[in-house]
């Protein structure tokens, strides 16, 4: 690969998504090479006006009457995600609660749907909250957690997963894109394998939604959850989404029987009777202001198109890997993501014993990655607003830090939150 | 009581909280007699700027670095509520999730803390989501729900509750202020009675917080949840709060083991190890934008002072009841709230067979109440922005509707959401 900066510039010149960069606040203005993207995507420029409309028109003026439109927000934004981002059908996605709460609801529902099976399979390297939720559900139900080992860099080997499946397994919880390595799972293959073993797969799409094409319908996926504050740019702590395949909805019942899951909710009847469709997976009143921001972010991603976003994400990743090989590996950095772009989401992770010091040095030089324990620097390449020259410049600064040893002056103890 | 409008005006002139009305958008400008207050309180004027600050400065400019302050929002807003609204101690209140999810978490935690007991007591007339959540938890655990009958107008008789308590009861779930009648429970007495029987009480403060003084510490209350979108003016679907008495926190474990409940969360350790304090009742990433609005509303209520708010709420209620007696009862309306102001929260409910038609007629005449099944018109008297003349004018329009039969022209079938 041509590693000149002019080559990166020519890739940007040919980028069909280039115009979307201007739709985000700060991009191109704050001078930041913002490669976080995973804990918090940038803010769409339309978001403040949309929120002001919700707050100052709908809440302040429309008052309680605005519930006539708010009541449909969880499914309206859900349908937008279904069609524009997830490759699901209308009525299969609901927005509300946090990813962790959604994961809990669907995990319990799935376990209930497999009576007589007492094992939950999850991945030893999955995101902490996924593993903790699985542990809590298993503990409460007397189930066993079977943690399958994953190569921390290459992701889960399908053969290892297959070997872990037997007639005891009720549910498999897996991330579509691994949070550290970025390893991309084969949703269709894993779903088939699990189904053959009689188990349901519950996908966590947090690091995948908006970054890779997720054709949930074609993959035959049964259950999924995911956050909206990373590649979907829904804002800090934005409400999550959950997906339940239409044909499964009537069979499943989630454990938190709230009034937003009730059929004919405002009849306020004496007995819980879950709504027939995806609404049955709702619980309490959803946070309307936060949902407004999700709607803006999801619409932008849908407009850009996940196929185009994924193609650009792969290209950004290839440039990152090529520059890492050329510039950083000689300084002791190792690639900690799959090398094959087809097996990777839209982030690239690099390992170095001084990863935390490097992260601090990079932040002070205008490059914002994520640190991930114990020794990883994660570069989130949000394709909707990241340029090829941004990657080039960030990697050049990374090389500069390593070459000069600038990171050595930073504390080894973690003091920052991100 | 003097029922002249001039008397209402003189009460307003003497109102120490009069200035707070101007702190809310629309109050005094939109001509609405907004007596909903229960599904959605009015918007504080400071809210748009606070949200814009969070969105345009903290999110758009501060980006992921803003998590350094956001990470503390759930306990910071919790402490504000604890001290300013709930009469609790710092470190006893956490904001996040919906009321229904919070109720679920604490109910499971409480039931776990009373092993060997297999009954949950709740009130037959409690808000639907409370009853549904109780039913779901009981069903999952093989527990029995013992619904104590409450007088739908007068609320729960403490003697009836006492009779329902025995050595089988693990938890009692009760609303401090009943959602239909407005009946106010005696928190300290109920807590003592339940404790003598070895049970924990889990209070729903949704219709109480910001409307009546809640000295949770003095009452010895163990557990509570509540919404922030009614009298706390936190916005549509605003995140709820939960309260756990400090001495109980270490003994209790909630069932949804998310990473925001984890000790040393960003170490991302292999095993769930709940935080020592109130944070252990957190689950996923909280919705930051929505929390900003809660903070503004809670601060306003704290500034006004719950004692003053409650005193004004009682006086508004007394005027409402007096006008109902004089003007509406002759037209077939019946008081459906406790007559004694000391036994009432800050709303007054009226019963009439055509309540839904009356509600529609009132809304079209600029009076916004809540309809509550099957035959109730609920008047929420949010003391922070409701004037005595608002009550007088609303009741005069109510009388006019009844006298002219204007409501007869409205559909009997429910078509609106509110």
């Amino acid at each position: 690969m041509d590693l000149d900066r002019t080559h990166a510039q020519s890739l940007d010149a040919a980028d069909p998504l280039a115009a979307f960069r201007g739709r985000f606040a700060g991009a191109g203005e704050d001078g930041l090479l913002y490669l976080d993207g995973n804990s918090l995507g940038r803010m769409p420029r339309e978001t403040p006006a949309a929120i002001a409309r919700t707050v100052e028109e709908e809440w302040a003026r429309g008052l309680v009457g605005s519930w006539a439109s708010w009541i449909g927000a969880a499914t309206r934004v859900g349908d937008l995600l279904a069609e524009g981002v997830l490759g699901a059908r209308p009525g299969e996605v609901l927005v509300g609660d946090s990813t962790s709460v959604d994961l809990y609801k669907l995990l319990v529902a799935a376990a209930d749907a497999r009576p007589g099976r007492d094992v939950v399979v999850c991945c030893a390297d999955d995101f902490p909250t996924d593993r903790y939720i699985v542990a809590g559900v298993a503990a409460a139900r007397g189930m066993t957690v079977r943690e399958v080992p994953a190569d921390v860099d290459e992701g889960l080997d399908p053969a290892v997963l297959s070997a872990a499946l037997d007639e005891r397994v009720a549910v498999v919880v897996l991330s579509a894109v691994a949070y550290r390595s970025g390893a991309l799972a084969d949703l269709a293959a894993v779903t088939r394998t699990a189904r053959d073993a009689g188990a349901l797969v519950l996908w966590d799409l947090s690091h995948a939604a908006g970054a890779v094409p997720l054709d949930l319908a074609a993959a035959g996926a049964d259950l999924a959850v995911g956050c909206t504050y990373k590649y979907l740019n829904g804002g800090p702590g934005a409400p999550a989404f959950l997906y339940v395949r239409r044909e499964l909805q009537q069979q499943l019942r989630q454990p938190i029987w709230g009034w937003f899951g009730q059929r004919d909710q405002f009849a306020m009847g004496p007995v819980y009777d879950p709504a027939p469709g995806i609404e049955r997976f709702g619980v309490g009143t959803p946070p309307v202001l936060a949902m407004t921001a999700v709607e803006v972010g999801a619409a932008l991603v849908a407009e850009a198109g996940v196929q185009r976003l994924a193609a650009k994400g792969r290209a950004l990743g290839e440039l990152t890997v090529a520059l890492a090989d050329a510039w950083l590996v000689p300084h002791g950095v190792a690639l900690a993501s799959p090398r094959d772009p087809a097996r990777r989401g839209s982030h690239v992770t690099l390992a170095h014993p001084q990863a935390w010091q490097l992260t601090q040095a990079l932040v002070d030089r205008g490059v914002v990655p994520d640190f991930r324990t114990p020794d990883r620097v994660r570069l989130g390449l949000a394709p909707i607003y990241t340029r090829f020259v941004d990657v080039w410049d960030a990697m050049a600064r990374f090389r500069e830090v390593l070459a000069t040893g600038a990171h050595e002056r930073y504390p080894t103890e973690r003091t920052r939150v991100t």
Side-chain angles (χ1 to χ4, degrees), chain A:
Chain A
M1 185 182 286
D2 183 347
L3 299 183
D4 276 358
R5 193 169 190 277
T6 51
H7 176 61
Q9 287 172 315
S10 67
L11 291 171
D12 286 322
D15 176 11
L17 297 174
F20 281 91
R21 177 174 167 79
R23 309 271 293 270
F24 290 86
E29 296 167 351
D30 56 18
L32 278 185
L33 303 171
Y34 190 64
L35 304 181
D36 175 279
N38 298 89
S39 294
L40 179 66
R42 281 193 184 269
M43 188 198 75
R45 286 194 194 277
E46 296 164 48
T47 300
I51 292 179
R53 206 157 47 235
T54 301
V55 171
E56 297 179 56
E57 291 176 27
E58 295 176 15
W59 173 11
R61 282 186 223 142
L63 288 162
V64 68
S66 293
W67 268 110
S69 83
W70 294 334
I71 198 76
T75 50
R76 187 179 68 241
V77 185
D79 284 347
L80 175 62
L81 286 168
E83 192 181 14
V85 179
L86 303 174
R89 294 167 291 177
E92 292 189 321
V93 178
L94 189 78
V95 175
D97 291 322
S98 66
T99 313
S100 300
V101 168
D102 281 341
L103 189 71
Y104 176 87
K105 291 188 293 189
L106 294 195
L107 177 54
V108 172
D112 279 347
R114 290 294 179 272
R117 292 178 171 238
D118 69 341
V119 168
V120 181
V121 167
C122 73
C123 178
D125 189 45
D126 214 335
F127 191 75
T129 211
D130 298 64
R131 292 184 283 104
Y132 303 159
I133 295 283
V134 165
V137 169
R141 304 170 65 95
M143 296 178 84
T144 300
V145 178
R146 195 176 285 169
E147 283 202 347
V148 292
D151 185 297
V152 70
D153 302 337
E154 290 293 326
L156 182 61
D157 181 339
V160 172
L161 177 62
S162 277
L165 298 179
D166 58 29
E167 71 294 339
R168 286 182 60 191
V169 176
V171 194
V172 178
V173 175
L174 279 184
S175 284
V177 170
Y179 85 107
R180 276 201 284 211
S181 66
L184 174 64
D186 182 335
L187 270 65
V190 169
T191 299
R192 270 195 310 274
T193 305
R195 195 170 285 161
D196 289 346
L200 290 161
V201 182
L202 169 46
W203 291 103
D204 185 339
L205 307 178
S206 292
H207 290 84
V212 297
L214 288 165
D215 199 339
L216 295 182
D222 287 319
L223 303 164
V225 300
C227 84
T228 63
Y229 50 75
K230 301 181 196 289
Y231 295 99
L232 297 174
N233 307 290
F241 63 85
L242 60 82
Y243 156 89
V244 180
R245 189 162 60 82
R246 192 187 290 156
E247 292 76 11
L248 266 183
Q249 291 173 4
Q250 294 268 4
Q251 304 163 40
L252 296 186
R253 222 179 216 228
Q254 55 96 353
I256 316 181
W257 296 5
W259 70 319
F260 268 73
Q262 170 80 347
R263 190 195 303 265
D264 197 7
Q265 170 185 7
F266 290 97
M268 299 196 174
V271 175
Y272 180 71
D273 175 21
I278 193 73
E279 293 92 338
R280 66 167 50 199
F281 301 96
V283 179
T285 316
V288 171
L289 308 187
M291 307 253 284
T292 298
V294 175
E295 192 161 15
V296 173
L300 254 175
V301 167
E303 185 187 339
V306 281
Q307 295 292 349
R308 292 200 299 177
L309 289 166
K312 181 176 171 190
R314 274 192 301 273
L316 289 165
E318 287 189 83
L319 179 60
T320 306
V321 170
L323 293 171
D325 284 343
W327 295 349
L328 310 188
V329 168
H331 292 288
V333 164
L335 180 64
S337 292
R339 185 164 284 278
D340 176 1
R343 295 203 46 247
R344 214 169 47 214
S346 205
H347 66 263
V348 169
T349 300
L350 303 170
H352 188 282
Q354 295 167 305
W356 172 236
Q357 290 170 290
L358 286 166
T359 299
Q360 297 170 83
L362 288 168
V363 168
D364 279 356
R365 283 153 184 80
V367 180
V368 183
D370 294 305
F371 169 74
R372 283 296 171 258
T373 54
D375 60 355
R376 307 285 150 124
V377 179
R378 186 175 71 178
L379 304 171
L381 310 167
I384 202 163
Y385 52 68
T386 303
R387 296 177 304 176
F388 292 90
V389 289
D390 294 337
V391 166
W392 198 98
D393 292 345
M395 297 300 277
R397 292 188 206 174
F398 205 150
R399 173 179 58 177
E400 174 77 11
V401 167
L402 284 163
T404 60
H407 57 291
E408 304 273 7
R409 296 195 307 273
Y410 288 84
T412 54
E413 202 182 337
R414 287 205 67 193
T415 49
R416 300 188 203 173
V417 165
T418 61

